[in-house]
């Protein structure tokens, strides 16, 4: 897909970028909508399939392998989540095969299932529920083949619990730390959402999902350079980049500072009753955002108006002002 803005023909990854701002201000909200239908933007559109495969597939899977080799603890699963893992794996395989039949296939012969992934030149026969027929736990196996991070929420005792996941591309949080926590505990540090009731409404909505229902929402922050792994564990590797960007030449900001958008899909699994939380991360540098004047202007308004406590939580304290300056000086924005 390509799209035109003025006389500019946009690269496909720009046209497909999930620009997250419908208005000039941003506040936390549940902002959920049914999944599986395209969302139009000023540049093109996104969101046709809950599991998105694009031109970054092989690079991002290679990065996931690298992160897991360095830190296997990015995969976590409590013992009672075995059924949910199998449920999630089969659901993801089915979704991939339906959305991208030229690349993925899932066939069944009696109790055996044959999974084909042509992108990775992989073919494997397994029996659902029999761990000996897979080389590793089911969620880890399928998680190595998709660009999304995955968290599985168990529902019990009137609450949701983050009891399993594969997360290599976290935005300054840690699955290792959060595993086993309740949904409310996981979101404890987020400003405003408790006093405004956002998180309790979100949990109530999720607990009301029926098997097979799929919804989506977006979240965002800013990231220096095209770095997917900004987990808490690796903060010493990337934390200083915010300061260095702010102290460096303004001309570099457009290339280095990225709008980081998460498209989060929420799916109630049928066999286990768990909720599968898919998080796909997209990164677009400010210089490419500026190719779409409407995006540049709106991003400027959002960053300029964002309250200080929200900017602090999102880690924007150092990068917000350089971003605003670059958009004024080089991005065509007129305040």
């Amino acid at each position: 897909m390509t799209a035109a803005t003025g006389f500019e023909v946009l690269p496909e990854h720009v046209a497909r970028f999930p620009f997250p701002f419908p208005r000039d201000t941003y506040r936390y909200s549940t902002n959920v909508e049914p999944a599986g239908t395209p969302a139009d933007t000023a540049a093109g559109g996104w969101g046709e399939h809950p599991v998105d495969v694009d031109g970054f597939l092989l690079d991002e899977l290679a990065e996931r392998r690298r992160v897991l080799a360095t830190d296997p603890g990015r995969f976590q699963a409590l013992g009672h989540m075995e059924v949910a893992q199998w449920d999630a794996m089969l659901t993801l395989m089915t979704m991939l095969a339906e959305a991208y039949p030229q690349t993925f296939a899932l066939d069944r012969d009696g109790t055996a299932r044959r999974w084909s992934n042509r992108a990775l030149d992989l073919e494997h026969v397994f029996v659902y529920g029999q761990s000996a027929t897979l080389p590793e736990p089911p969620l880890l196996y399928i998680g190595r083949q998709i660009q999304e991070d995955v968290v599985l929420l168990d529902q019990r005792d009137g609450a949701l619990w983050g009891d399993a996941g594969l997360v290599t591309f976290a935005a300054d949080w840690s699955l290792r730390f959060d595993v086993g926590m309740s949904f409310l505990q996981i979101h404890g540090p987020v400003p405003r959402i408790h006093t405004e009731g956002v998180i309790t409404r979100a949990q109530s909505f999720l607990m009301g999902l029926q098997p097979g229902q799929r919804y989506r929402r977006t979240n965002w922050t800013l990231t220096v350079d095209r770095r997917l792994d900004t987990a808490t564990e690796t903060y010493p590797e990337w934390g200083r980049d915010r300061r260095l960007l702010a102290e460096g030449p303004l001309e570099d900001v457009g290339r280095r500072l990225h709008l980081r958008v998460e498209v989060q899909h929420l799916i109630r699994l049928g066999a286990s009753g768990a909720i599968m939380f898919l998080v796909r991360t997209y990164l677009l540098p400010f210089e490419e955002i500026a190719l779409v004047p409407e995006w540049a202007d709106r991003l400027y308004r959002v960053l300029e108006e964002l309250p200080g406590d929200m900017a602090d939580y999102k880690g924007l304290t150092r990068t917000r002002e350089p971003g605003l300056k670059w958009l004024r000086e080089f991005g065509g924005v007129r305040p």
Side-chain angles (χ1 to χ4, degrees):
M1 180 196 304
T2 58
T5 173
F7 299 103
E8 196 84 32
V9 176
L10 297 174
E12 183 177 10
H13 69 276
V14 178
R16 298 178 78 251
F17 186 74
F19 190 76
F21 304 121
R23 56 188 64 87
D24 288 349
T25 60
Y26 174 83
R27 295 295 185 273
Y28 290 116
S29 67
T30 50
N31 75 311
V32 294
E33 62 183 17
T37 55
D40 294 331
T41 71
W46 61 276
E48 183 177 0
H49 304 297
V51 182
D52 188 30
V53 175
D54 61 19
F56 295 108
L57 175 68
L58 297 181
D59 288 342
E60 293 185 6
L61 295 187
E63 175 65 2
R64 173 156 290 158
R65 289 194 299 272
R66 184 195 68 79
V67 173
L68 284 168
T70 302
D71 184 3
R74 302 297 184 91
F75 169 72
Q76 297 284 329
L78 302 186
H80 66 276
M81 296 298 285
E82 182 75 13
V83 173
Q85 285 196 64
W86 282 98
D87 198 2
M89 184 188 80
L90 193 62
T91 299
L92 287 165
M93 288 178 172
T94 301
M95 291 166 61
L96 286 165
E98 290 175 349
Y100 308 100
Q102 72 281 9
T103 305
F104 305 98
L106 181 64
D107 302 303
R108 184 169 184 174
D109 183 6
T111 60
R113 289 178 169 89
R114 180 181 299 275
W115 168 245
S116 300
N117 180 338
R118 298 179 184 91
L120 298 180
D121 194 23
L122 182 153
E123 190 168 287
H124 188 82
V125 177
F126 66 93
V127 178
Y128 185 87
Q130 294 188 13
S131 58
T133 62
L134 286 180
E136 55 193 346
L139 188 61
L140 182 57
Y141 177 75
I142 191 60
R144 292 184 187 273
Q145 301 177 54
I146 61 175
Q147 292 163 267
E148 286 79 4
D149 286 325
V150 190
V151 176
L152 300 181
L153 303 174
D154 189 33
Q155 184 169 329
R156 63 181 187 277
D157 303 328
L160 296 171
W161 305 82
D163 286 348
L166 172 60
V167 179
T168 57
F169 305 147
D172 201 5
W173 64 282
S174 168
L175 176 66
R176 183 188 289 104
F177 180 79
D178 286 351
V179 70
M181 288 187 179
S182 72
F183 186 76
L184 299 182
Q185 290 169 335
I186 290 171
H187 292 88
V190 185
R192 299 177 180 239
I193 63 171
H194 296 277
T195 56
E196 297 175 6
V198 173
I199 197 63
T200 52
R201 291 197 301 273
Q203 178 170 255
S204 296
F205 174 81
L206 290 173
M207 291 175 65
L209 289 179
Q210 299 301 304
Q213 283 191 310
R214 303 173 180 180
Y215 284 82
R216 70 186 179 206
R217 67 183 300 273
T218 58
N219 195 15
W220 68 278
T221 186
L222 301 181
T223 295
V224 179
D225 298 329
R226 186 176 173 80
R227 186 184 182 99
L228 287 165
D229 177 21
T230 57
T232 306
E233 288 90 339
T234 55
Y235 179 81
E237 300 174 18
W238 56 265
R240 66 176 187 150
D241 290 342
R242 298 168 177 173
R243 174 179 57 81
L244 295 176
L245 180 85
E247 296 174 352
L250 183 62
E251 292 84 353
D252 291 348
V253 171
R255 172 181 55 84
R256 298 194 63 197
L257 190 60
H258 290 64
L259 176 61
R260 181 189 186 105
V261 177
E262 294 178 352
V263 175
Q264 304 172 352
H265 277 87
L266 314 159
I267 302 170
R268 173 75 78 175
L269 299 177
S272 64
I275 293 174
M276 181 166 62
F277 183 53
L278 299 174
V279 183
R280 173 67 194 279
T281 298
Y282 300 84
L283 293 163
L284 197 66
F286 274 41
E287 64 182 8
E288 292 189 320
I289 290 171
L291 296 176
V292 188
E294 181 178 322
W295 285 3
D297 184 74
R298 177 145 291 171
L299 176 59
Y300 184 91
R301 310 296 168 190
V302 168
L303 290 176
E304 183 181 45
E305 193 277 338
L306 192 70
D309 59 341
M310 296 177 66
D312 289 343
Y313 176 75
K314 286 182 172 292
L316 311 184
T317 305
R318 292 185 181 273
T319 56
R320 172 162 61 169
E321 191 56 38
L324 289 169
K325 287 181 179 179
W326 188 91
L327 288 169
R328 289 196 301 267
E329 294 294 324
F330 302 101
V333 173
R334 298 293 176 259

